[in-house]
Amino acid sequence: MFSRKLIDESGIRADGRRLDELRPIKLEIGVLSNADGSAYIEQGKSKVIAAVYGPRELHPKHLSLPDRAMLRCRYHMAPFSVEQRKSPAPSRREMELSKVVREALEPSIFLEYYPRTSIDVFIEVLEADGGTRCAGITAASLALADAGIPTRDLVSACAAGKVEGLFVLDLTDAEDKASEADVPLAIMPNLGSITLLQMDGMLTLDEFQSIVELAVKGCKQIHSIQREALKAKYVAVKEVVEE
Ligand code: CDP
């Protein structure tokens, strides 16, 4: 059996959460005046900002696509975002995450509306305490909406995993490092489709299904927080305009 360090006998985690509880989430939209769209997310101690430019003319032009916009994403961790200063140069991990973030957002965007253009998404991790790829996707989806880019649905992302033999939602860095497995997931809840599904570690098929269900539950909660954040910004703006 496990000698449990991160979860006590009554199923309470080191930070006081229940097994199926998300960390506190704070979302803010339109935080950068120089980008076309932006959003900031705090999920527990993880802090991530997303900025969107576009649709805009793509350079070099020969790369442009005749029938749709090209989505380009960069996931990057600031040197001060982790305990041990990280080199600002893009690591292999950041290159991989830039790709999976792009693939997670791509199905949500009507790229065919903007042929020959590019839509550029920049995700900057300011402070990392686990779950930054998911927090980045959640924020980037809001930044796309803030840029006025038409989407099929918001993309909501969250990880779940197995820690000390138990299934937990929204892992912290300490939980991630101690986990037997973690499964980051992104979904478009209104369309019922999954746009990101990764797994690190080993699970039985039954365990995998339970963990995916838990992550879907977390994503749906995040989806309603995203909607609230959009309403908080745009309903308030609409009211000012109508006055
Ligand atoms: O952040 P996320 O869970 O999406 O990605 P990960 O590769 O599973 O990394 C988990 C955590 O490890 C990050 O959130 C950071 O807290 C930490 N990390 C770190 O301390 N130094 C790095 N160079 C990369 C990750």
Side-chain angles (χ1 to χ4, degrees), residues 211-231:
I211 286 176
V212 168
E213 269 169 37
L214 186 58
V216 166
K217 215 175 110 190
C219 289
K220 286 185 177 166
Q221 285 174 34
I222 290 174
H223 192 251
S224 50
I225 302 171
Q226 284 172 300
R227 286 169 53 98
E228 286 310 312
L230 275 173
K231 276 194 209 154

